[in-house]
Amino acid sequence: MEWTLEVIVVPVSDVDRAKEFYADRVGFKVDLDSRVAPGIRIVQLTPPGSRCSIALTEGLPGAPGRPPMEPGSLTGLQVCVTDIAAAREELVGRGVEVSAVQHAGAGGWEEGPGEAWNSFMFFQDPDGNGWTVQEAPSPLAER
């Protein structure tokens, strides 16, 4: 049996603002924007080429026995690109505040690209949910 990671809920305070950020500024595709029940809205977006989407929700309760996540509390979301410089240029061109390209070195994060799998940049959505963009040596379909 396959266990596929397909949707990650991203906690936000304003679904419309977050939808605009992820669709218009980051470039994710809007797959769904639906009111699934009275007072419950789900917006699902997918990064280009990804097999996993994010969901922005309004009015959806937490999983049974679990409180909902606070807006801005999600960190460590990571996407991969094959050209980090081009990806950074695209994000900056769309008005996203993104870090410089960095790599992990002996003293921590160091400016500039690193070797294979060791080039990163970072940004946050309007609520403070943290994203990492990592450069991969080839597209997912080829790995």
Side-chain angles (χ1 to χ4, degrees):
M1 172 187 333
E2 291 183 353
W3 290 52
T4 59
L5 181 62
E6 296 190 17
V7 180
I8 297 171
V9 176
V10 177
V12 298
S13 60
D14 182 327
V15 171
D16 288 320
R17 179 181 71 173
K19 177 184 175 185
E20 182 275 330
F21 176 79
Y22 285 109
D24 298 343
R25 294 178 65 198
V26 180
F28 289 10
K29 179 184 175 287
V30 178
D31 302 315
L32 171 77
D33 185 345
S34 180
R35 297 198 183 277
V36 298
I40 300 176
R41 178 179 174 201
I42 298 174
V43 176
Q44 186 169 313
L45 303 101
T46 304
S50 180
R51 296 178 186 161
C52 185
S53 302
I54 63 169
L56 312 173
T57 65
E58 183 176 270
L60 188 69
R66 304 290 307 170
M69 291 184 286
E70 290 295 320
S73 65
L74 195 57
T75 61
L77 295 164
Q78 186 163 319
V79 292
C80 290
V81 297
T82 55
D83 185 337
I84 201 158
R88 185 176 188 285
E89 185 176 308
E90 183 177 323
L91 289 175
V92 169
R94 291 178 173 199
V96 177
E97 291 186 30
V98 60
S99 75
V101 174
Q102 303 171 42
H103 66 278
W109 290 110
E110 299 177 5
E111 290 286 323
E115 299 298 320
W117 292 105
N118 192 15
S119 294
F120 302 87
M121 62 184 174
F122 307 91
F123 70 91
Q124 295 181 343
D125 72 11
D127 283 293
N129 293 300
W131 287 82
T132 300
V133 180
Q134 179 182 28
E135 186 173 72
S138 60
L140 180 60
E142 297 174 16
R143 287 186 252 143

mmCIF file of all heavy atoms in Angstrom, residues 94-124:
data_model
loop_
_atom_site.group_PDB
_atom_site.id
_atom_site.type_symbol
_atom_site.label_atom_id
_atom_site.label_comp_id
_atom_site.label_asym_id
_atom_site.label_seq_id
_atom_site.Cartn_x
_atom_site.Cartn_y
_atom_site.Cartn_z
ATOM 1 N N ARG A 94 8.045 38.975 -8.044
ATOM 2 C CA ARG A 94 6.632 38.965 -7.663
ATOM 3 C C ARG A 94 6.396 39.635 -6.314
ATOM 4 O O ARG A 94 5.309 39.597 -5.777
ATOM 5 C CB ARG A 94 6.119 37.532 -7.614
ATOM 6 C CG ARG A 94 6.046 36.895 -8.974
ATOM 7 C CD ARG A 94 5.575 35.479 -8.859
ATOM 8 N NE ARG A 94 5.346 34.916 -10.177
ATOM 9 C CZ ARG A 94 4.615 33.866 -10.403
ATOM 10 N NH1 ARG A 94 4.023 33.241 -9.412
ATOM 11 N NH2 ARG A 94 4.462 33.416 -11.625
ATOM 12 N N GLY A 95 7.451 40.202 -5.730
ATOM 13 C CA GLY A 95 7.296 40.942 -4.481
ATOM 14 C C GLY A 95 7.410 40.127 -3.211
ATOM 15 O O GLY A 95 7.038 40.598 -2.137
ATOM 16 N N VAL A 96 7.954 38.922 -3.296
ATOM 17 C CA VAL A 96 8.139 38.096 -2.099
ATOM 18 C C VAL A 96 9.461 38.464 -1.439
ATOM 19 O O VAL A 96 10.494 38.537 -2.112
ATOM 20 C CB VAL A 96 8.118 36.585 -2.449
ATOM 21 C CG1 VAL A 96 8.381 35.737 -1.210
ATOM 22 C CG2 VAL A 96 6.782 36.205 -3.085
ATOM 23 N N GLU A 97 9.429 38.708 -0.141
ATOM 24 C CA GLU A 97 10.667 38.950 0.607
ATOM 25 C C GLU A 97 11.319 37.599 0.862
ATOM 26 O O GLU A 97 10.809 36.788 1.629
ATOM 27 C CB GLU A 97 10.366 39.659 1.922
ATOM 28 C CG GLU A 97 9.898 41.084 1.742
ATOM 29 C CD GLU A 97 9.733 41.814 3.056
ATOM 30 O OE1 GLU A 97 10.459 41.498 4.028
ATOM 31 O OE2 GLU A 97 8.857 42.686 3.111
ATOM 32 N N VAL A 98 12.426 37.363 0.193
ATOM 33 C CA VAL A 98 13.113 36.075 0.271
ATOM 34 C C VAL A 98 14.576 36.325 0.611
ATOM 35 O O VAL A 98 15.152 37.333 0.216
ATOM 36 C CB VAL A 98 12.942 35.283 -1.055
ATOM 37 C CG1 VAL A 98 13.517 36.028 -2.223
ATOM 38 C CG2 VAL A 98 13.497 33.888 -0.974
ATOM 39 N N SER A 99 15.156 35.421 1.367
ATOM 40 C CA SER A 99 16.561 35.572 1.756
ATOM 41 C C SER A 99 17.468 35.431 0.540
ATOM 42 O O SER A 99 17.054 34.972 -0.523
ATOM 43 C CB SER A 99 16.937 34.499 2.783
ATOM 44 O OG SER A 99 17.075 33.235 2.144
ATOM 45 N N ALA A 100 18.708 35.771 0.735
ATOM 46 C CA ALA A 100 19.733 35.483 -0.269
ATOM 47 C C ALA A 100 19.923 33.964 -0.325
ATOM 48 O O ALA A 100 19.540 33.243 0.606
ATOM 49 C CB ALA A 100 21.045 36.165 0.120
ATOM 50 N N VAL A 101 20.519 33.480 -1.397
ATOM 51 C CA VAL A 101 20.857 32.061 -1.482
ATOM 52 C C VAL A 101 21.961 31.784 -0.476
ATOM 53 O O VAL A 101 22.937 32.538 -0.375
ATOM 54 C CB VAL A 101 21.278 31.679 -2.914
ATOM 55 C CG1 VAL A 101 21.776 30.237 -2.965
ATOM 56 C CG2 VAL A 101 20.129 31.896 -3.888
ATOM 57 N N GLN A 102 21.791 30.709 0.276
ATOM 58 C CA GLN A 102 22.736 30.341 1.326
ATOM 59 C C GLN A 102 23.020 28.842 1.265
ATOM 60 O O GLN A 102 22.270 28.086 0.637
ATOM 61 C CB GLN A 102 22.137 30.669 2.689
ATOM 62 C CG GLN A 102 21.752 32.125 2.857
ATOM 63 C CD GLN A 102 20.971 32.382 4.122
ATOM 64 O OE1 GLN A 102 21.298 31.849 5.177
ATOM 65 N NE2 GLN A 102 19.927 33.183 4.018
ATOM 66 N N HIS A 103 24.070 28.443 1.947
ATOM 67 C CA HIS A 103 24.358 27.015 2.081
ATOM 68 C C HIS A 103 24.816 26.741 3.515
ATOM 69 O O HIS A 103 25.261 27.645 4.220
ATOM 70 C CB HIS A 103 25.410 26.548 1.070
ATOM 71 C CG HIS A 103 26.766 27.132 1.268
ATOM 72 N ND1 HIS A 103 27.119 28.384 0.802
ATOM 73 C CD2 HIS A 103 27.864 26.660 1.912
ATOM 74 C CE1 HIS A 103 28.365 28.638 1.127
ATOM 75 N NE2 HIS A 103 28.850 27.606 1.813
ATOM 76 N N ALA A 104 24.666 25.499 3.917
ATOM 77 C CA ALA A 104 25.108 25.096 5.253
ATOM 78 C C ALA A 104 26.610 24.851 5.203
ATOM 79 O O ALA A 104 27.098 24.067 4.391
ATOM 80 C CB ALA A 104 24.372 23.832 5.696
ATOM 81 N N GLY A 105 27.324 25.565 6.076
ATOM 82 C CA GLY A 105 28.774 25.428 6.137
ATOM 83 C C GLY A 105 29.222 25.095 7.544
ATOM 84 O O GLY A 105 28.399 24.930 8.448
ATOM 85 N N ALA A 106 30.496 25.040 7.738
ATOM 86 C CA ALA A 106 31.063 24.677 9.046
ATOM 87 C C ALA A 106 30.630 25.625 10.148
ATOM 88 O O ALA A 106 30.465 25.224 11.300
ATOM 89 C CB ALA A 106 32.591 24.635 8.954
ATOM 90 N N GLY A 107 30.395 26.899 9.800
ATOM 91 C CA GLY A 107 30.009 27.882 10.808
ATOM 92 C C GLY A 107 28.527 28.198 10.818
ATOM 93 O O GLY A 107 28.115 29.191 11.398
ATOM 94 N N GLY A 108 27.720 27.387 10.154
ATOM 95 C CA GLY A 108 26.283 27.662 10.068
ATOM 96 C C GLY A 108 25.918 28.067 8.652
ATOM 97 O O GLY A 108 26.544 27.629 7.680
ATOM 98 N N TRP A 109 24.913 28.930 8.514
ATOM 99 C CA TRP A 109 24.498 29.380 7.185
ATOM 100 C C TRP A 109 25.507 30.369 6.636
ATOM 101 O O TRP A 109 25.878 31.322 7.302
ATOM 102 C CB TRP A 109 23.106 30.008 7.240
ATOM 103 C CG TRP A 109 22.042 29.004 7.503
ATOM 104 C CD1 TRP A 109 21.304 28.869 8.646
ATOM 105 C CD2 TRP A 109 21.606 27.974 6.624
ATOM 106 N NE1 TRP A 109 20.442 27.812 8.532
ATOM 107 C CE2 TRP A 109 20.604 27.240 7.293
ATOM 108 C CE3 TRP A 109 21.964 27.581 5.336
ATOM 109 C CZ2 TRP A 109 19.958 26.151 6.716
ATOM 110 C CZ3 TRP A 109 21.319 26.488 4.765
ATOM 111 C CH2 TRP A 109 20.324 25.793 5.450
ATOM 112 N N GLU A 110 25.948 30.122 5.405
ATOM 113 C CA GLU A 110 26.903 30.981 4.730
ATOM 114 C C GLU A 110 26.306 31.473 3.421
ATOM 115 O O GLU A 110 25.542 30.753 2.774
ATOM 116 C CB GLU A 110 28.205 30.204 4.464
ATOM 117 C CG GLU A 110 28.866 29.716 5.749
ATOM 118 C CD GLU A 110 30.117 28.875 5.499
ATOM 119 O OE1 GLU A 110 30.541 28.744 4.326
ATOM 120 O OE2 GLU A 110 30.676 28.357 6.480
ATOM 121 N N GLU A 111 26.653 32.696 3.038
ATOM 122 C CA GLU A 111 26.134 33.291 1.805
ATOM 123 C C GLU A 111 26.607 32.507 0.587
ATOM 124 O O GLU A 111 27.709 31.982 0.563
ATOM 125 C CB GLU A 111 26.594 34.745 1.675
ATOM 126 C CG GLU A 111 25.943 35.694 2.665
ATOM 127 C CD GLU A 111 24.494 36.003 2.329
ATOM 128 O OE1 GLU A 111 24.141 36.132 1.140
ATOM 129 O OE2 GLU A 111 23.698 36.095 3.286
ATOM 130 N N GLY A 112 25.750 32.452 -0.427
ATOM 131 C CA GLY A 112 26.088 31.852 -1.707
ATOM 132 C C GLY A 112 25.666 30.402 -1.809
ATOM 133 O O GLY A 112 25.344 29.754 -0.817
ATOM 134 N N PRO A 113 25.672 29.899 -3.039
ATOM 135 C CA PRO A 113 25.290 28.502 -3.257
ATOM 136 C C PRO A 113 26.348 27.539 -2.753
ATOM 137 O O PRO A 113 27.525 27.882 -2.663
ATOM 138 C CB PRO A 113 25.134 28.416 -4.779
ATOM 139 C CG PRO A 113 25.991 29.509 -5.315
ATOM 140 C CD PRO A 113 25.989 30.600 -4.276
ATOM 141 N N GLY A 114 25.915 26.334 -2.423
ATOM 142 C CA GLY A 114 26.828 25.276 -2.014
ATOM 143 C C GLY A 114 26.899 24.204 -3.087
ATOM 144 O O GLY A 114 26.481 24.410 -4.226
ATOM 145 N N GLU A 115 27.406 23.055 -2.703
ATOM 146 C CA GLU A 115 27.473 21.919 -3.628
ATOM 147 C C GLU A 115 26.069 21.343 -3.823
ATOM 148 O O GLU A 115 25.088 21.884 -3.324
ATOM 149 C CB GLU A 115 28.431 20.860 -3.054
ATOM 150 C CG GLU A 115 29.862 21.358 -2.878
ATOM 151 C CD GLU A 115 30.531 21.757 -4.172
ATOM 152 O OE1 GLU A 115 30.342 21.066 -5.191
ATOM 153 O OE2 GLU A 115 31.238 22.781 -4.178
ATOM 154 N N ALA A 116 25.974 20.198 -4.494
ATOM 155 C CA ALA A 116 24.679 19.559 -4.757
ATOM 156 C C ALA A 116 23.875 19.402 -3.473
ATOM 157 O O ALA A 116 24.424 19.013 -2.438
ATOM 158 C CB ALA A 116 24.898 18.195 -5.411
ATOM 159 N N TRP A 117 22.609 19.718 -3.533
ATOM 160 C CA TRP A 117 21.654 19.636 -2.425
ATOM 161 C C TRP A 117 21.952 20.627 -1.296
ATOM 162 O O TRP A 117 21.370 20.539 -0.232
ATOM 163 C CB TRP A 117 21.569 18.219 -1.844
ATOM 164 C CG TRP A 117 20.970 17.228 -2.778
ATOM 165 C CD1 TRP A 117 21.640 16.265 -3.483
ATOM 166 C CD2 TRP A 117 19.586 17.068 -3.123
ATOM 167 N NE1 TRP A 117 20.774 15.531 -4.249
ATOM 168 C CE2 TRP A 117 19.490 16.003 -4.036
ATOM 169 C CE3 TRP A 117 18.420 17.733 -2.753
ATOM 170 C CZ2 TRP A 117 18.277 15.579 -4.583
ATOM 171 C CZ3 TRP A 117 17.209 17.302 -3.286
ATOM 172 C CH2 TRP A 117 17.154 16.239 -4.186
ATOM 173 N N ASN A 118 22.861 21.561 -1.483
ATOM 174 C CA ASN A 118 23.246 22.457 -0.393
ATOM 175 C C ASN A 118 23.139 23.932 -0.791
ATOM 176 O O ASN A 118 24.024 24.725 -0.507
ATOM 177 C CB ASN A 118 24.654 22.125 0.101
ATOM 178 C CG ASN A 118 24.991 22.827 1.408
ATOM 179 O OD1 ASN A 118 24.118 23.345 2.103
ATOM 180 N ND2 ASN A 118 26.268 22.855 1.758
ATOM 181 N N SER A 119 22.038 24.276 -1.469
ATOM 182 C CA SER A 119 21.733 25.675 -1.767
ATOM 183 C C SER A 119 20.283 25.918 -1.361
ATOM 184 O O SER A 119 19.387 25.183 -1.795
ATOM 185 C CB SER A 119 21.918 25.977 -3.258
ATOM 186 O OG SER A 119 23.275 25.852 -3.619
ATOM 187 N N PHE A 120 20.076 26.935 -0.531
ATOM 188 C CA PHE A 120 18.763 27.187 0.058
ATOM 189 C C PHE A 120 18.431 28.670 0.042
ATOM 190 O O PHE A 120 19.324 29.521 0.019
ATOM 191 C CB PHE A 120 18.746 26.738 1.525
ATOM 192 C CG PHE A 120 19.069 25.298 1.743
ATOM 193 C CD1 PHE A 120 20.388 24.876 1.872
ATOM 194 C CD2 PHE A 120 18.064 24.355 1.829
ATOM 195 C CE1 PHE A 120 20.694 23.536 2.088
ATOM 196 C CE2 PHE A 120 18.355 23.009 2.042
ATOM 197 C CZ PHE A 120 19.674 22.605 2.171
ATOM 198 N N MET A 121 17.138 28.969 0.115
ATOM 199 C CA MET A 121 16.658 30.312 0.414
ATOM 200 C C MET A 121 15.399 30.157 1.248
ATOM 201 O O MET A 121 14.804 29.074 1.290
ATOM 202 C CB MET A 121 16.409 31.128 -0.855
ATOM 203 C CG MET A 121 15.362 30.567 -1.774
ATOM 204 S SD MET A 121 15.257 31.570 -3.262
ATOM 205 C CE MET A 121 14.104 30.594 -4.216
ATOM 206 N N PHE A 122 15.013 31.226 1.921
ATOM 207 C CA PHE A 122 13.931 31.141 2.897
ATOM 208 C C PHE A 122 12.975 32.312 2.733
ATOM 209 O O PHE A 122 13.391 33.430 2.413
ATOM 210 C CB PHE A 122 14.517 31.172 4.315
ATOM 211 C CG PHE A 122 15.586 30.136 4.527
ATOM 212 C CD1 PHE A 122 16.923 30.435 4.287
ATOM 213 C CD2 PHE A 122 15.255 28.862 4.939
ATOM 214 C CE1 PHE A 122 17.915 29.484 4.467
ATOM 215 C CE2 PHE A 122 16.243 27.896 5.118
ATOM 216 C CZ PHE A 122 17.570 28.210 4.886
ATOM 217 N N PHE A 123 11.675 32.051 2.960
ATOM 218 C CA PHE A 123 10.685 33.123 2.975
ATOM 219 C C PHE A 123 9.548 32.733 3.906
ATOM 220 O O PHE A 123 9.455 31.583 4.346
ATOM 221 C CB PHE A 123 10.171 33.455 1.560
ATOM 222 C CG PHE A 123 9.304 32.402 0.919
ATOM 223 C CD1 PHE A 123 7.916 32.420 1.065
ATOM 224 C CD2 PHE A 123 9.872 31.410 0.132
ATOM 225 C CE1 PHE A 123 7.117 31.467 0.443
ATOM 226 C CE2 PHE A 123 9.082 30.448 -0.489
ATOM 227 C CZ PHE A 123 7.703 30.478 -0.330
ATOM 228 N N GLN A 124 8.704 33.714 4.211
ATOM 229 C CA GLN A 124 7.543 33.496 5.072
ATOM 230 C C GLN A 124 6.301 34.029 4.382
ATOM 231 O O GLN A 124 6.373 34.990 3.608
ATOM 232 C CB GLN A 124 7.705 34.216 6.404
ATOM 233 C CG GLN A 124 8.826 33.695 7.259
ATOM 234 C CD GLN A 124 8.914 34.436 8.580
ATOM 235 O OE1 GLN A 124 8.373 35.525 8.754
ATOM 236 N NE2 GLN A 124 9.612 33.852 9.532
#
